[in-house]
Amino acid sequence: MGNSLKSANFLIESRLRDAARGDSMACYDLGVAYSTGTSGVVFDLIEAHKWFNLAAIAGDEAAQAARAEIAGDMTAREIATAQRAARDWMGAHRARAA
């Protein structure tokens, strides 16, 4: 079991690195992980919405659909929190890239 947790952590860490480089598929994958509670992450719709939103901004249509689907299970406050988190992520990672 320890090895599967290590591989799940590695998967998430590698997707986070890819997302930080602007990889929209990595953002989508993170959204899926958080919306389903897989790959070693805790189920978290706010975090899932954030990642789907980042992928959707990059033009990923599957992410747009997934974001809309989970938004139906979220409060307006949760969606606002997720949107703020996505803006914060973009701001932090654009500043690093510059």
Side-chain angles (χ1 to χ4, degrees):
M1 179 122 175
N3 281 345
S4 69
L5 183 59
K6 275 186 190 171
S7 68
N9 286 339
F10 175 78
L11 173 70
I12 294 302
E13 288 171 14
S14 101
R15 298 318 295 165
L16 284 169
R17 278 193 305 273
D18 292 342
R21 287 194 290 268
D23 181 340
S24 65
M25 193 65 202
C27 294
Y28 179 81
D29 290 345
L30 288 163
V32 169
Y34 281 102
S35 68
T36 59
T38 58
S39 300
V41 301
V42 176
F43 174 79
D44 184 338
L45 287 181
I46 292 172
E47 195 67 12
H49 190 286
K50 173 184 100 175
W51 291 112
F52 285 140
N53 197 24
L54 290 165
I57 289 167
D60 186 313
E61 291 182 12
Q64 292 169 11
R67 178 186 61 192
E69 185 176 323
I70 67 168
D73 294 327
M74 298 171 71
T75 66
R77 183 178 300 249
E78 288 171 330
I79 292 168
T81 299
Q83 290 171 334
R84 188 169 42 257
R87 282 192 304 273
D88 290 348
W89 169 269
M90 288 189 314
H93 291 85
R94 281 191 184 138
R96 273 190 219 153

